[in-house]
Amino acid sequence: MKSTNPVWKFFVSVKLTVFLLLSLAATSIIGTVIPQNADPEVYFHKFGPFLFRLFDVLDIFDMYHAWWFQLLLLLLVSNIVVCSIDRLSATWKLIFPRNLVFKPARFEKLEKKERFSVKRPPDALEAAYTAFAAKKFGRRQIDKTEKGFVVFAEKWRWTRLGVYIVHLSVILLIVGAIIGSLFGFKGFANIPEGESVDHVRLRDSGRMLPLGFTIRCEDFNISFYDTGAPKEFRSSLTILENDQAVVKKDIIVNDPLRYRGISIFQASYGEMAPEKKPDHDFSTENIQLNFTVKASGMVYKRKVEIGKPVDIPEGHGTFTLMEFNPSAEFRGQNIGAAMFGVLSPLQGEPVEVLLPLHFPNFDKMRRGEVVISVADQEAETFSPAQKDDVRYYTGLEVNKDPGVWVVYSGFIIMIAGCFITFFMSHQQICIEVSRKGDNSDVRVMGIANKNTMGMQRKVEKIAGHLAKLRGNP
Amino acid sequence: MNSSQLLSFVTFAYGFAATFYVAAWVFKKTMPARLARWAAIIGVVVNVAGFILRWKESYDIGYGHAPLSNMYESLVFFALTIGILYLFVETRYKTHIVGAFATPIAFLAMAYASLSPNISDKIQPLIPALKSNWLIAHVVTCFFGYSAFAVAFGVSIMYLIKSRASEKENGLLARLPGLKMLDELTHQMVMFGFLFLSIGIITGAVWANSAWGTYWSWDPKETWSLVTWFVYATLLHARMMRGWYGKKIAYLSIIGFAAVLFTYFGVNYLPGLHSYGSV
Ligand code: HEM
């Protein structure tokens, strides 16, 4: 279909493809350098008013959903569709010809031809050669010539469709993603142990969405390796319909529960109540701190008062205790009573230091020159809480994505399509046998639509095989 | 003998192979090439042994997972895939000169894994998100892709060097394989890499979907692998446009490999979630 329509011409070009692919590659990088979907305040603080407004107008803070990024994707899809229609209509007849015609001239033009002679006349070889071609290639045609015969054979003509399969897969991915965003949702729910929800909060709008059934969290368990790294998060869930339990399942990360097209994933967890009792009886009158200087290994004990800087020994600056918190948190975990202070080194920026009463080694994590700890306190090892004294809530990701099967079929056919396109080709061979006295002169030639070098090696192999075939006596 | 010792030996074997491949090229001798080939083969065999031993060790400690879960382990596997792929290329294309450009990359990967103070060779337990068979499929396919791109990168460098040589020259440059073959080899490697990168991204997406319920979330590592994929898709298409032969393709292949390296290492310096790549 040779069209003169300028729109069609615009979309049919591979130049546009290259332009779009490079533009997508370049612009995608932006969102990896500027973290996406953070609080506006964070951005404002970081970029200042001018850049903030500019980026905001361009949707840089949610760029993968920005109109211009989606437009690039849309152009790519149009490019693929138009290009495929254009080329497919031209090559369809080539791929599925009504009757196969071999053109000897195309083989004659080849630079490399394999040649050998056999001490037998052509008639003796014909059956064996034909059988060989049939076995290796399938489709074949035998022509008699003045001095002997020619076998043409070919296979894998259909692999010329490979690129169309790849391109179709790209379209499926995008269509699947669109279906997902139109008809699916992404939500989350935090459920305390023993409680239930029948709504989830949507990630993008913050709206509550009724599920049509109830999820109850019977129990949540977390286990740790002895290194302290988490080993498993496990929620025992029950699905209820009209107060009747219909499904029970323990979910862990990588093993969700699927019910009525909705998937429920283990995403996070948290604690409902503080795990440590606040130390209200701790006196802030008489506080002593240990300063362990790394370089010398010396430990110095110093009395400190809230708000009054003290000098750190060996010239490491000053330390000011700021406040006492009977129930402090560190990364969402309750660590009991703790001091909070500011360390001002002689050079460099002041740093904030957290000093939990019960964990004298806690400040080592900061990796500073000096390790500070609260003196004369009972030491415990810093370990996650025992199960009994906490009540957890489980954080669930609750999603529905009806487009996922379209995307997955896109995945499969993309792999198949790439394999076909890259590693299979439409191959044709021509074996020409001519009488020379009592012997036969044999020439073997091969053409493939891709990977010419690979085809040459193949032709050499075939010639080697044929040279060994003796044929009928 | 533990796996770290075996793997230190591998570093040495690849270093030896790299040195002798270069020597074979520079001094136009076949003896060093033969030594280099043996060193590369031994390196690959011991690399596999170290990989398996480390796998067993992780079971002995009680963690029990394939050694594909942190930077050290992925570098070891990267070196292995480059080694295997290179030996395949040498056998199939019957040229050892490519070795001078490919085995140094395997050596660098191993040396970086063994020597960098930021990379721990301790066997660590798997965090919950990584406990998935998709992890294995994902890492294995990604690294076959990466190593094909690494070889393509080496060959592209050869192409650029060679294309500056004049016709009559008979020094070092003349001994490089012909431009046509280098171009073809780059293309073959890029196709192989593209297939595996695609499978790698796909298995990663399926894994993300089973762990978090979204097959794609535009986190920096995902996005960079997609950027890489776009660059190589560009290369494949550019080859079909008139005027985009040889040199331009070689440059694209080098840019593509830079994107691979950024996906692999650079992303750790960006804000993001992909915990597995971190040291
Ligand atoms: C992300 C999007 C795309 C991907 C992943 C992709 C992938 C591929 C691949 C793998 C090939 C085979 C290359 C080879 O044989 O070495 C190919 C060929 C081709 N692509 Fe694309 N493609 C994409 C988009 C497009 C678009 C938008 C067009 C529209 C112009 C297009 C036009 C072509 C053409 C004309 C060929 C050559 C077919 C032939 O050799 O007969 N591609 N594509």
Side-chain angles (χ1 to χ4, degrees), chain A residues 186 225 231 254 399 408 457, chain B residues 92 126 129 131 209 213-214:
Chain A
K186 288 191 197 321
Y225 293 101
K231 185 174 184 179
N254 275 309
N399 296 344
Y408 275 24
R457 276 194 294 273
Chain B
R92 174 137 180 206
L126 276 190
K131 285 185 186 159
N209 194 33
T214 5

Side-chain angles (χ1 to χ4, degrees), chain B residues 36 78 106 122 127 130 148 159 164-165 178 196 273:
Chain B
F78 185 37
K122 255 180 68 183
I127 60 167
L130 298 189
Y159 188 97
R164 296 174 56 186
F196 276 87
L273 306 164

Side-chain angles (χ1 to χ4, degrees), chain A residues 10-18 20-21 24 73 75-84 87 91 160 162-164 166-167 169-171 173-174 414 417-418 421-422 449-450, chain B residues 187 190-191 194-195 198 226 229-230 232-237 239-240:
Chain A
F10 172 76
F11 278 115
V12 95
S13 97
V14 184
K15 278 206 183 98
L16 178 65
T17 315
V18 167
L20 289 174
L21 289 171
L24 282 165
L73 289 174
L75 286 175
L76 186 72
V77 170
S78 320
N79 190 194
I80 298 178
V81 171
V82 171
C83 204
S84 298
R87 294 176 60 94
T91 48
R160 288 175 182 268
V163 282
Y164 301 98
V166 177
H167 293 151
S169 75
V170 175
I171 294 170
L173 298 186
I174 293 179
M414 173 173 286
C418 279
T421 313
F422 296 152
N449 66 330
K450 271 172 299 202
Chain B
H187 188 221
V190 168
M191 289 194 300
F194 191 80
L195 173 66
S198 304
L226 187 68
W229 191 76
F230 281 143
Y232 284 108
T234 308
L235 187 156
L236 291 172
H237 285 91
R239 256 182 85 93
M240 294 173 290

